[in-house]
Amino acid sequence: MAPKTEILLEIYARFRSAILSGGGDGFVPPESKGPSCIKKPGFFAALALLFCLVLIAPASAREWHIDRFYTQMSVAPDGVVDVTERLDVVLDGVFHGIYRDIPIEYPGPHSSKYTLFLTVTGVTDGAGNDLKYDSTTQHGYRHLTIYIPDAVNATRTVEIHYTVTNAVRWFDDHDELYWNVTGYWQVPIDSASTHIVFPANAKGELRAQAFTGQYGSRAQDANVQVGDNAVSVATYGPLSEREGLTADVYIPKGVLTQPSSPTAGHLVPAIPPEARLWEEAAADVMIASVVVIVVWRSLWRDIAFWMALILSSAIQLAVVHAWVQRAGELSRSAGKLATFLGTALFFAIYSCIRLLRRNFYGEGSSESR
């Protein structure tokens, strides 16, 4: 063996011995002097690791907050609301974007809920340039993933534009705009405000109040100003994590015209989030079941086929439901994977049933012939 190879093997053997011995004296010559802690290479390794952590921790630390959250809203005569949110975000560290969860499920009468018909029309930066974003619906929120380029130790402005066709609630003696301005963020908001403009015939007819704090709070730590046909609301101080600002505007009858189409202006009961998750999971199970039934229709007369199909569908339903509950909703690729999972489960269970039947009853073996 070459001398260099022997030397490398010797170094490796002693290094491995030192590690396995918990940092013993494997690397320390017997004649070396000094404190016992210095004789242990484990001490140097720990010290080097601690030094690296001290250097890396400040560099990897990231935090951000919203310096200003301002919403401009315009209410059309038919109750359709056009919304522009302007967020000034302060990013400390390296970021690729932010998330925005817009509440779209609100409490209704008799413990019911209703869902807003919200359409995102665009996301831009402070200069009006389009920003890339992804939009999904998750657990009563419109979840936006907004990508911000060059977001490193910087302050950036994000503007979100969307319309809501059924934001106004229609009652017999009045109408109401009850609007969660900010939602509930995982980061603090230094200041939050909104300016809501109504049709000109609302002059002198509006009344308003505002609420601040966590969900369900009745605190009113905000300034409310009612103008001729507009309402302005602004917080007195910052909002902590999971605290929000809500504006509640009373609108007399006759200011707005209630649409005749149920989907345009009425409140539509929301499907409970848990039911929606089961629906999505059941759809994937149905697709997998149809694939199995159609492709392997030659096995319809075999009782093992139907037993395996029922068992695999039940297992797939539970697994996919848990998957959807965790992810919010499944992407196209994840849906394909869920269908493949159902098919694989069917084959596994069908094979097990056939094997058990063969072992217990001898079906298909030479003894049964």
Side-chain angles (χ1 to χ4, degrees):
M1 185 179 293
K4 289 185 178 180
T5 304
E6 293 178 354
I7 294 173
L8 290 174
L9 290 175
E10 176 66 15
I11 293 174
Y12 167 77
R14 301 192 67 177
F15 181 77
R16 182 174 182 276
S17 175
I19 293 176
L20 294 178
S21 64
D25 295 338
F27 272 151
V28 182
E31 64 274 10
S32 63
K33 306 294 182 180
S36 58
C37 65
I38 297 179
K39 292 183 179 181
K40 298 180 181 293
F43 169 78
F44 291 105
L47 186 62
L49 178 60
L50 180 61
F51 180 73
C52 291
L53 290 175
V54 170
L55 292 178
I56 293 173
S60 61
R62 300 192 319 161
E63 62 179 18
W64 70 287
H65 70 279
I66 300 173
D67 178 60
R68 181 172 180 260
F69 190 114
Y70 173 72
T71 300
Q72 174 71 39
M73 303 176 63
S74 177
V75 183
D78 60 355
V80 175
V81 180
D82 184 76
V83 183
T84 297
E85 295 181 353
R86 182 183 176 92
L87 290 70
D88 295 330
V89 296
V90 180
L91 307 169
D92 223 350
V94 180
F95 289 83
H96 299 287
I98 62 172
Y99 298 110
R100 167 66 170 124
D101 290 318
I102 305 173
I104 59 173
E105 286 190 358
Y106 282 76
H110 310 296
S111 300
S112 63
K113 292 183 179 181
Y114 67 91
T115 299
L116 298 180
F117 294 114
L118 185 150
T119 303
V120 179
T121 56
V123 179
T124 61
D125 60 15
N129 301 312
D130 291 336
L131 294 178
K132 180 184 175 183
Y133 69 93
D134 296 325
S135 176
T136 59
T137 300
Q138 298 182 7
H139 311 305
Y141 291 88
R142 176 61 59 85
H143 180 74
L144 300 180
T145 302
I146 303 171
Y147 302 91
I148 305 175
D150 303 323
V152 181
N153 297 325
T155 299
R156 294 287 184 265
T157 297
V158 175
E159 292 189 356
I160 307 171
H161 312 274
Y162 55 91
T163 59
V164 184
T165 58
N166 62 334
V168 175
R169 299 198 280 189
W170 311 99
F171 296 98
D172 294 335
D173 58 346
H174 72 283
D175 302 323
E176 180 186 27
L177 177 63
Y178 186 85
W179 188 254
N180 188 330
V181 177
T182 58
Y184 302 101
W185 293 77
Q186 301 296 322
V187 297
I189 302 174
D190 291 345
S191 67
S193 59
T194 184
H195 184 69
I196 310 171
V197 179
F198 292 85
N201 61 339
K203 183 177 180 179
E205 301 291 337
L206 303 173
R207 292 187 305 216
Q209 60 182 341
F211 303 99
T212 57
Q214 297 187 356
Y215 180 81
S217 170
R218 305 302 293 178
Q220 296 182 308
D221 190 19
N223 178 42
V224 180
Q225 294 184 353
V226 180
D228 290 339
N229 64 322
V231 173
S232 296
V233 177
T235 57
Y236 285 124
L239 298 172
S240 301
E241 297 178 10
R242 300 182 181 87
E243 289 186 343
L245 171 66
T246 298
D248 185 14
V249 183
Y250 170 92
I251 311 166
K253 280 294 184 182
V255 173
L256 303 177
T257 302
Q258 182 174 351
S260 57
S261 172
T263 59
H266 288 76
L267 305 182
V268 178
I271 301 174
E274 187 65 18
R276 187 183 295 111
L277 298 182
W278 283 111
E279 282 184 358
E280 188 166 350
D284 289 311
V285 172
M286 185 180 300
I287 293 173
S289 300
V290 170
V291 170
V292 170
I293 290 174
V294 172
V295 175
W296 289 276
R297 57 183 179 274
S298 60
L299 302 177
W300 285 4
R301 295 185 179 182
D302 190 352
I303 187 63
F305 173 86
W306 297 105
M307 292 175 62
L309 184 63
I310 294 173
L311 287 175
S312 63
S313 297
I315 296 173
Q316 184 192 12
L317 182 64
V319 172
V320 175
H321 171 263
W323 189 356
V324 176
Q325 193 172 32
R326 182 179 182 87
E329 65 178 20
L330 296 184
S331 62
R332 184 184 298 271
S333 59
K336 293 180 180 179
L337 184 60
T339 303
F340 174 78
L341 171 66
T343 307
L345 279 171
F346 165 78
F347 273 115
I349 295 175
Y350 180 70
S351 299
C352 289
I353 294 176
R354 290 293 302 270
L355 181 62
L356 290 173
R357 190 167 63 181
R358 182 175 302 171
N359 290 338
F360 280 97
Y361 299 103
E363 183 178 325
S365 63
S366 59
E367 291 80 357
S368 61
R369 294 174 183 172

